[in-house]
Amino acid sequence: MPKKLAILGSTGSIGTQTLDVVASHPDEFEVVALAAGANLTRLFEQIERFRPALVSVATPELAAKVKERFGKAVQVEAGQAGLQAVATCPEADIVLTAVVGTMGLRPTLEAIAAGKDIALANKETLVAAGHLVTDLAARRGCRILPVDSEHSAIFQCVHGEQTKEVRRILLTASGGAFRDKKREEMARATREDALAHPNWSMGAKITVDSATLMNKGLEVIEAHWLFGLPYERIEVLIHPQSIVHSLVEFQDRSVLAQLGTPDMRVPIQYALSYPRRLAADWPSLDLLAVGTLTFREPDWDRFPILGLAYQAGKTGGSMPAVLNAANEAAVDLFLQEKIGFLEIEKTLLGVIEQHDPVGNPSLDEILFYDRWAREMARRLALR
Ligand code: NDP
Ligand code: MG
């Protein structure tokens, strides 16, 4: 029997690559539900190709257009209720979460409550509410399978090992578009400069996050929740080639790493097929062609947001949710060319300073502070 899959964010970078994986393994996977935002052209192609029983789009107006095109062949829902319908679709065995930002939080919790395994790309959900997501998954006996390449690497390295025998995690980072740029150059950087990622082709928000190193900061917090390690034992290494996707050191000082060409289909496929490994038709890693693998320490002065993320993670409570929401708002303003690149970090610092964190926040509290942080970020950034 094929594994039945629901996808949140099917028209995005991760969503489309997930459907590539599904298309190359028709006997293994079947698509039962898709949630998209507003890209109807791509969604229509996906409906024709994969024939899901249920789809959801961002608004009722868009939903009307899908109904006009497909009639009764597919059930169409919209908005937050639509995301929930896809996330909890009774036929689905596993839900792949690839929407951007805290928009994914509620549907992810609903999917877990409905007993679904989660293939998690939407890291912001774990950053904002790691305690709620991991608690609920443990109680419901659901797996959280990482799609993020670094976390997939760690997940593969610790497979069959004991958590207490892990000494530290070494998360690798490409360094993003401004890896070798001076602060003066970053101050002048345009939207296009920030979107020119050296190794990976991804959605706009995560590409900007890679340029500020916020992406690595979010991933440190994501790793904390996925693997249950304190922040002192999660380290970041700049590795410009993006071949070693992360490493784990054990108590005996033995270090395991997972390597591969930078291709998100590998971690996506592993999250879907776990614990099995399926054949792939993409090229093998050619280490002779790569030649050299290099590693260096992140530059904390040029990229202060990475330190900020560690600090927010260690503070815990509502602080990571606030940092994450402020970042979503600031990156959005940067992408709209309303603020400069270095204004992103200034905004985050300002918002964090204003926030008095609460411990063990409920979902409502997280969503409240998320809204507060977005408003505060916009106010500080645009004043
Ligand atoms: P994209 O921006 O490419 O895709 C976002 C998806 O969310 C699109 O399908 C978009 O739909 C959908 N969406 C937007 N608004 C809504 C809405 N209101 N309701 C439902 N769906 C909506 O993002 P990525 O694929 O790059 O990233 C997705 C997540 O995966 C992020 O959390 C990111 O951090 C994480 N990730 C991504 C990686 C990558 O390689 N891209 C690597 C590791 C993690 P539409 O386009 O139709 O409007
Ligand atoms: Mg990553």
Side-chain angles (χ1 to χ4, degrees), residues 5 19 30-34 43-55 69-75:
L5 173 64
L19 288 169
E30 181 186 332
V31 173
V32 293
L34 296 176
L43 179 65
F44 285 1
E45 287 165 17
Q46 295 179 345
I47 295 174
E48 270 158 16
R49 175 126 199 223
F50 297 97
R51 298 277 159 203
L54 167 67
V55 301
R69 168 77 175 258
F70 291 96
K72 291 207 161 55
V74 55
Q75 182 190 339

Side-chain angles (χ1 to χ4, degrees), residues 44-350:
F44 285 1
E45 287 165 17
Q46 295 179 345
I47 295 174
E48 270 158 16
R49 175 126 199 223
F50 297 97
R51 298 277 159 203
L54 167 67
V55 301
S56 159
V57 283
T59 65
E61 294 71 35
L62 293 162
K65 290 189 182 160
V66 184
K67 282 181 195 152
E68 201 178 298
R69 168 77 175 258
F70 291 96
K72 291 207 161 55
V74 55
Q75 182 190 339
V76 188
E77 303 289 342
Q80 195 66 40
L83 273 174
Q84 175 176 6
V86 171
T88 59
C89 163
E91 290 73 34
D93 302 311
I94 182 164
V95 178
L96 185 132
T97 65
V99 290
V100 181
T102 15
M103 185 206 297
L105 173 52
R106 224 187 250 280
T108 303
L109 287 170
E110 286 158 347
I112 300 170
K116 314 292 184 195
D117 283 339
I118 305 292
L120 184 122
N122 176 230
K123 63 190 89 185
E124 294 92 342
T125 278
L126 270 189
V127 171
H131 61 301
L132 300 181
V133 173
T134 52
D135 282 1
L136 187 61
R139 277 191 279 128
R140 297 288 294 144
C142 302
R143 287 177 174 140
I144 310 281
L145 299 152
V147 166
D148 215 347
S149 56
E150 296 77 0
H151 304 75
S152 177
I154 296 161
F155 185 62
Q156 294 178 55
C157 293
V158 300
H159 196 239
E161 305 283 350
Q162 309 268 350
T163 310
K164 62 178 194 302
E165 291 171 0
V166 172
R167 195 155 177 273
R168 47 182 190 139
I169 282 173
L170 299 161
L171 277 179
T172 54
S174 69
F178 304 141
R179 178 172 64 211
D180 302 310
K181 297 283 185 235
K182 298 194 178 69
R183 292 280 292 178
E184 305 86 84
E185 293 172 291
M186 288 193 234
R188 290 192 303 268
T190 65
R191 182 181 191 276
E192 272 56 49
D193 296 335
L195 288 179
H197 195 282
N199 302 351
W200 299 91
S201 157
M202 311 182 285
K205 191 257 177 184
I206 184 176
T207 307
V208 175
D209 284 348
S210 298
T212 59
L213 288 197
M214 178 62 168
N215 183 49
K216 213 46 56 179
L218 296 174
E219 290 185 359
V220 167
I221 302 173
E222 182 185 12
H224 165 78
W225 288 112
L226 283 173
F227 304 108
L229 284 195
Y231 288 96
E232 293 70 24
R233 293 203 269 139
I234 304 172
E235 293 172 28
V236 172
L237 277 179
I238 303 295
H239 168 48
Q241 298 83 14
S242 294
I243 297 294
V244 177
H245 297 310
S246 279
L247 314 91
V248 176
E249 185 186 37
F250 294 90
Q251 298 299 354
D252 59 1
R253 296 330 194 238
S254 177
V255 177
L256 296 190
Q258 187 260 344
L259 285 71
T261 48
D263 184 335
M264 283 309 294
R265 291 174 301 175
V266 178
I268 290 169
Q269 177 167 301
Y270 189 64
L272 297 182
S273 69
Y274 176 83
R276 295 169 57 212
R277 289 187 185 271
L278 304 179
D281 52 13
W282 43 78
S284 294
L285 170 62
D286 182 351
L287 278 175
L288 293 177
V290 176
T292 310
L293 299 175
T294 59
F295 302 90
R296 64 185 197 231
E297 208 192 328
D299 187 334
W300 302 90
D301 296 329
R302 270 192 310 131
F303 298 99
I305 288 185
L306 181 58
L308 218 55
Y310 264 100
Q311 194 188 314
K314 286 179 186 168
T315 304
S318 53
M319 195 55 106
V322 161
L323 178 69
N324 173 64
N327 181 60
E328 286 186 38
V331 170
D332 196 41
L333 291 172
F334 173 73
L335 285 169
Q336 293 176 46
E337 302 186 301
K338 290 189 176 151
I339 63 172
F341 183 73
L342 292 184
E343 257 79 64
I344 299 174
E345 68 185 43
K346 238 164 85 192
T347 305
L348 302 196
L349 257 170

